[in-house]
């Protein structure tokens, strides 16, 4: 316990020093919002990775891998290919150049200035301000779940102290400090995850032996009995994909893999990082460390999550989900680490998860705060000279709302897998609302202002409608549908019930794309933008 | 059977994860010195000058 406290204090002191260094170097709005556009490529890549990978990925999605198995690795593939390669090479370079041409400081501001629309900027800010706390609550819950298991303190007490710690940490302000400390935390995460992978594989007799044992596990009579209800939903073992078109197949492919894997391309807190470097050369260099970092961070979490079943079964004759008991899906990884890893590594991994949580939370709070202060009040409503003050007020409101949601989230049925589900909801909403317009803003010169507005509004509206009334899992937990219509979701009891398994990203994103294309073609001759403005946007963009 | 994994789709995704990481590394290394145009250099230099001037002013 004393060792844990000493290590934690040293970690927090280093973090405080890095954040203060960034704070001291913050002299103006560009420093505060974009770290002066002079960030080193390695720091940018580590900051991007540490922001992208949170306790949601390690605890939430790692727990999902404990339940569903290695099929989660499809998300790792998309995280690397879409989240790093496509994002940096095809979105990042143009975002950086256009952001500089237009002097944009935030993601909503980039979209707003590109289409010369205060409405788009304010609307995007509202979407971020209202819905991002759902994701921040998931990240917070992941950290609190682990810390309460590690220290044996109850969930609510841990939540209270961790929220106080985060409030102090983010109040020091500015993206420069956030990115410096992100990079430090990224290094801790990389080291911790690399050790975890080596430890687990060596304990199970090597890579092939570990996978074989996990494959054979499903044939054990006790396991067959414990996974009977899962098999009815398409489960076929931890080293196989679920049966095609089964409820589990839809849950993994549409909600987890596509929802998060595609949604990452339109994440405001990640897109803004492309604008923090001075040239595309930095982005080329960042691709190297970004790809390797994401492979280790998510690939290890999902592999270890699946392999935890072998440890639990050898020890207790139970699967990971059964052993987790009341902890449910979100309790699998904390219980595994607490039970089967050496004590000293428990302390090291506590820092890994603290790093994963704090790096993501600080960036999310920064994004929510700037949406509130700069995008909505300063640019949307025209309230001048109070940008930083309003941003800090936005951060404070976001912290309080996040804490309340994390508290409520702990009361949700443990089998819901609140962490991964909430993350998927926010990523899917961002994809449907922003991705078509974001892509068009970077690649299609002739797309009109009306088309962009129509697509953003339609994507957000259809996403929310689907979440609240049609998607079985989410609509049931939200509970609004049952209060209004008397049934959990509107497909219940109809011949279309199968559709309730389909995630909103597969409905709202195509509709948002179609609206952009149809309205764009209809208004092609009246784009609502001066040619000189479009030329300015695309100056040097290639 | 690929490293103890019997399922084609899981074996495939293992290879895709490693393949996409290699793609990132190779792309980054091949383009390591590309992407800095004249305008970027000028802006960067101007920012560095402004930064240095600010430091001098602060010291004074």
């Amino acid at each position: 316990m004393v060792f844990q406290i000493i290590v934690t204090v040293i970690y927090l002191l280093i973090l405080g020093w890095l954040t203060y260094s960034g704070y001291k170097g913050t002299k103006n709005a560009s420093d505060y919002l974009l770290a002066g556009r002079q960030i080193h490529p390695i720091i940018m890549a580590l900051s991007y990775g540490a922001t992208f990978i949170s306790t949601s990925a390690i605890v939430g999605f790692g727990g999902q891998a404990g339940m569903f198995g290695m099929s989660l690795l499809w998300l790792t593939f998309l995280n690397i290919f879409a989240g790093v390669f496509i994002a940096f090479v095809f979105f990042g370079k143009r975002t950086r150049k256009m952001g500089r041409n237009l002097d944009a400081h935030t993601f909503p501001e980039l979209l707003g200035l590109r289409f010369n629309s205060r409405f788009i900027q304010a609307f995007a800010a509202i979407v971020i301000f209202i819905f991002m706390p759902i994701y921040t609550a998931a990240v917070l819950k992941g950290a609190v779940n682990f810390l309460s298991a590690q220290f044996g303190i109850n969930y609510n007490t841990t939540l209270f102290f961790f929220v106080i710690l985060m409030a102090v940490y983010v109040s020091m302000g500015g993206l420069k400090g956030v990115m410096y400390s992100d990079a430090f935390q990224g290094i801790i995460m990389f080291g911790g995850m690399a050790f975890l992978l080596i430890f687990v594989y060596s304990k199970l007799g090597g890579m092939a032996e570990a996978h074989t044992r996990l494959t054979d596990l499903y044939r054990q009579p006790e396991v067959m009995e414990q996974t009977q209800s899962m098999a009815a939903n398409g489960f076929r073992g931890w080293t196989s994909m679920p049966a095609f078109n089964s409820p589990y197949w839809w849950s993994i492919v549409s909600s987890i893999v596509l929802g998060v894997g595609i949604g990452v391309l339109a994440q405001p807190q990640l897109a803004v990082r492309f604008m923090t470097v001075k040239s595309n050369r930095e982005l080329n260099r960042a691709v190297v460390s970004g790809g390797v970092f994401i492979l280790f961070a998510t690939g290890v979490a999902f592999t270890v999550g699946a392999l935890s079943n072998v440890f639990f079964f050898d020890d207790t004759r139970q699967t990971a989900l059964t052993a987790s008991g009341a902890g449910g899906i979100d309790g699998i990884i904390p219980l595994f680490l607490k039970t089967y890893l050496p004590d000293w590594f428990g302390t090291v991994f506590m820092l890994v998860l603290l790093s994963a949580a704090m790096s993501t939370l600080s960036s999310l709070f920064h994004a929510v705060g700037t949406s509130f202060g700069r995008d909505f009040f300063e640019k949307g409503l025209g309230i001048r000279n109070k940008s930083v003050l309003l941003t800090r007020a936005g951060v404070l409101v976001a912290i309080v709302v996040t804490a309340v949601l994390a508290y409520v989230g702990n009361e949700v049925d443990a089998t819901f897998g609140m962490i991964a589900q909430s993350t998927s909801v926010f990523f899917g909403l961002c994809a449907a609302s922003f991705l078509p317009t974001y892509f068009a803003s970077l690649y299609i010169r002739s797309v009109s202002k009306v088309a962009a507005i129509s697509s953003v509004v339609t994507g957000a509206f259809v996403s929310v409608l689907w979440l609240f009334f049609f998607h079985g899992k989410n609509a049931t937990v939200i509970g609004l549908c049952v209060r209004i219509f008397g049934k959990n979701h509107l497909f219940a009891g109809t011949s279309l019930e199968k559709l309730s398994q389909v995630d909103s990203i597969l409905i709202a994103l195509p509709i948002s794309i179609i609206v952009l294309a149809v309205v764009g073609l209809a208004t092609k001759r009246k784009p609502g933008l001066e040619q000189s403005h479009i030329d300015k946007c695309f100056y040097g963009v290639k | 059977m690929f490293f103890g994994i019997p399922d084609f789709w899981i074996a495939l995704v293992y290879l895709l994860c490693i393949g996409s990481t290699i793609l990132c590394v190779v792309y980054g290394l091949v383009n390591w010195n590309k992407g800095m145009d004249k305008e970027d250099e000028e802006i960067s230099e101007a920012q560095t000058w402004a930064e240095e001037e600010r430091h001098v002013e602060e010291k004074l």
Side-chain angles (χ1 to χ4, degrees):
Chain A
M1 190 66 163
V2 174
F3 175 61
Q4 282 187 335
I5 291 168
I6 291 170
V7 168
T8 307
V9 167
I10 292 170
Y11 165 80
L12 291 174
L13 285 173
I14 294 172
L15 215 54
W17 177 72
L18 286 167
T19 310
Y20 181 69
S21 300
Y23 174 71
K24 263 181 73 177
T26 298
K27 304 290 182 191
N28 52 41
S30 178
D31 283 344
Y32 186 87
L33 297 164
L34 284 179
R37 298 185 197 263
Q38 292 275 357
I39 285 289
H40 189 278
I42 297 286
I43 290 180
M44 185 269 175
L46 284 170
S47 173
Y48 182 95
T51 299
F52 183 4
I53 303 306
S54 63
T55 41
S56 170
I58 299 169
V59 175
F61 287 86
Q64 296 277 341
M67 178 175 171
F68 293 121
M70 291 185 164
S71 47
L72 268 277
L73 285 172
W74 281 99
L75 177 57
T76 295
F77 164 61
L78 271 187
N79 282 167
I80 300 165
F81 185 68
V84 176
F85 187 72
I86 300 286
F88 279 55
V89 176
F90 296 101
F91 283 79
K93 293 180 179 182
R94 286 174 176 247
T95 300
R96 188 199 70 80
K97 197 74 179 170
M98 197 174 281
R100 191 187 277 281
N101 290 345
L102 297 170
D103 196 28
H105 292 75
T106 65
F107 180 72
E109 188 169 37
L110 176 73
L111 295 182
L113 289 173
R114 165 65 178 84
F115 294 106
N116 208 2
S117 165
R118 280 165 61 172
F119 174 81
I120 287 184
Q121 185 169 353
F123 186 82
I126 290 169
V127 169
I128 292 166
F129 188 72
I130 292 175
F131 291 100
M132 196 178 263
I134 294 173
Y135 175 35
T136 54
V139 176
L140 184 60
K141 185 174 185 295
V144 173
N145 269 9
F146 177 79
L147 291 172
S148 64
Q150 188 70 19
F151 288 109
I153 306 170
N154 86 29
Y155 179 90
N156 292 339
T157 308
T158 312
L159 175 66
F160 176 78
F161 284 109
F162 193 70
V163 166
I164 298 286
L165 173 68
M166 278 311 301
V168 172
Y169 174 54
V170 298
S171 68
M172 294 175 88
L175 194 60
K176 198 176 266 187
V178 166
M179 290 184 78
Y180 285 172
S181 50
D182 278 359
F184 165 64
Q185 291 167 323
I187 292 166
I188 291 176
M189 288 164 69
F190 184 84
M193 296 307 274
F195 177 84
L196 180 62
L197 184 71
I198 293 165
F199 175 85
V200 167
Y201 272 142
S202 64
K203 275 280 180 189
L204 296 177
M207 195 172 165
E209 175 66 15
H211 296 162
T212 304
R213 287 175 70 178
L214 185 61
T215 303
D216 294 343
L217 190 64
Y218 187 53
R219 299 191 194 104
Q220 298 280 354
E222 295 111 310
V223 172
M224 298 283 270
E225 193 182 326
Q226 288 171 47
T227 56
Q228 208 168 15
S229 64
M230 291 170 67
N233 284 313
F235 183 70
R236 299 190 306 178
W238 292 278
T239 54
S240 296
M241 284 294 285
F244 176 70
N245 203 23
S246 65
Y248 279 3
W249 188 89
W250 278 108
S251 183
I252 288 171
V253 172
S254 75
S255 293
I256 293 175
V257 175
L258 292 176
V260 178
I262 303 293
V264 67
L265 290 170
Q267 287 295 296
Q269 76 281 9
L270 297 179
V272 76
R273 272 158 175 70
F274 299 136
M275 297 193 269
T276 63
V277 292
K278 61 185 174 187
S279 79
N280 287 350
R281 186 184 65 185
E282 275 63 31
L283 291 176
N284 286 336
R285 293 177 178 185
V287 169
V288 177
S289 36
V292 175
F293 181 88
I294 298 296
L295 174 71
F296 269 79
T298 65
V300 171
F302 303 162
T303 302
V304 168
L307 289 170
S308 70
N309 284 284
V310 180
F311 284 82
F312 282 116
F313 187 78
D314 286 353
D315 186 28
T316 65
R317 314 303 289 176
Q318 291 180 318
T319 65
L321 187 62
T322 309
S324 178
I329 295 170
D330 295 342
I332 291 174
I333 294 291
L335 181 65
F336 168 73
L337 295 170
K338 173 90 177 147
T339 312
Y340 299 110
L341 269 81
D343 278 349
W344 68 268
F345 187 69
T347 304
V348 171
F349 210 81
M350 178 185 70
L351 295 188
V352 170
L353 282 178
L354 270 178
S355 297
M358 292 176 78
S359 56
T360 304
L361 284 171
S362 61
S363 298
L364 294 178
F365 288 140
H366 184 84
V368 175
T370 54
S371 291
F372 183 81
R374 184 176 178 91
D375 296 316
F376 185 72
F377 280 100
E378 188 184 350
K379 299 292 180 178
L381 300 182
I383 296 172
R384 302 274 166 207
N385 304 325
K386 291 190 175 174
S387 178
V388 173
L389 180 69
L390 286 167
T391 293
R392 289 194 165 135
V395 168
L396 187 64
V397 172
I399 289 173
V400 173
V401 172
T402 297
V404 171
L405 287 174
Y407 173 77
V408 173
N410 200 43
E411 308 298 313
V412 170
D413 180 2
T415 58
F416 179 63
M418 183 263 184
I419 297 174
Q421 205 64 36
S422 303
T423 303
S424 167
V425 163
F426 180 69
F427 276 57
L429 178 73
C430 282
S433 306
F434 306 136
L435 189 54
T437 298
Y438 181 32
F439 176 82
S441 73
L442 299 175
Y443 280 93
I444 306 172
R445 295 171 73 105
S446 61
V447 72
S448 71
K449 182 175 176 173
V450 177
I453 291 172
S454 306
S455 173
V456 169
V457 173
T458 304
F461 179 72
V462 174
S463 279
V464 171
L465 201 66
W466 194 265
L467 280 173
F468 277 59
F469 297 104
F470 294 99
H471 187 260
K473 208 170 178 181
N474 288 315
T476 302
V477 168
I478 293 166
L480 186 65
C481 189
V482 76
R483 289 187 183 192
I484 297 173
F485 299 105
K487 51 185 184 179
N488 284 336
H489 55 87
L490 292 180
F491 288 132
T494 71
S495 58
L496 296 171
E497 190 143 18
K498 190 86 179 166
L499 276 174
S500 70
Q501 296 162 13
V502 178
D503 193 80
S504 67
I505 192 170
L506 287 180
I507 306 296
L509 179 59
I511 290 174
S512 180
I513 292 169
I514 290 166
V515 166
L516 183 79
V518 170
V519 178
L521 286 171
T523 57
K524 199 174 180 181
R525 296 192 176 182
K526 290 182 182 174
L529 298 164
E530 297 286 337
Q531 187 58 44
S532 59
H533 174 74
I534 295 170
D535 290 341
K536 180 187 173 187
C537 292
F538 281 88
Y539 176 73
V541 174
K542 51 185 182 289
Chain B
M1 192 73 105
F2 172 79
F3 281 105
I5 296 170
D7 186 282
F8 167 77
W9 294 104
I10 304 295
L12 174 66
V13 78
Y14 238 95
L15 290 172
L16 285 173
C17 287
I18 294 163
S20 53
T21 305
I22 292 169
L23 173 69
C24 287
V25 172
V26 170
Y27 178 87
L29 294 177
V30 167
N31 293 287
W32 191 259
N33 284 319
K34 295 174 187 168
M36 176 76 125
D37 60 29
K38 203 171 171 63
E39 192 199 12
D40 290 328
E41 258 180 278
E42 285 168 3
I43 292 170
S44 177
E45 272 180 31
Q47 277 190 313
T48 308
W49 272 105
E51 189 75 24
E52 282 177 11
E53 271 185 23
R54 203 164 62 186
H55 278 303
V56 171
E57 274 177 24
E58 275 176 7
K59 279 182 183 174
L60 290 172

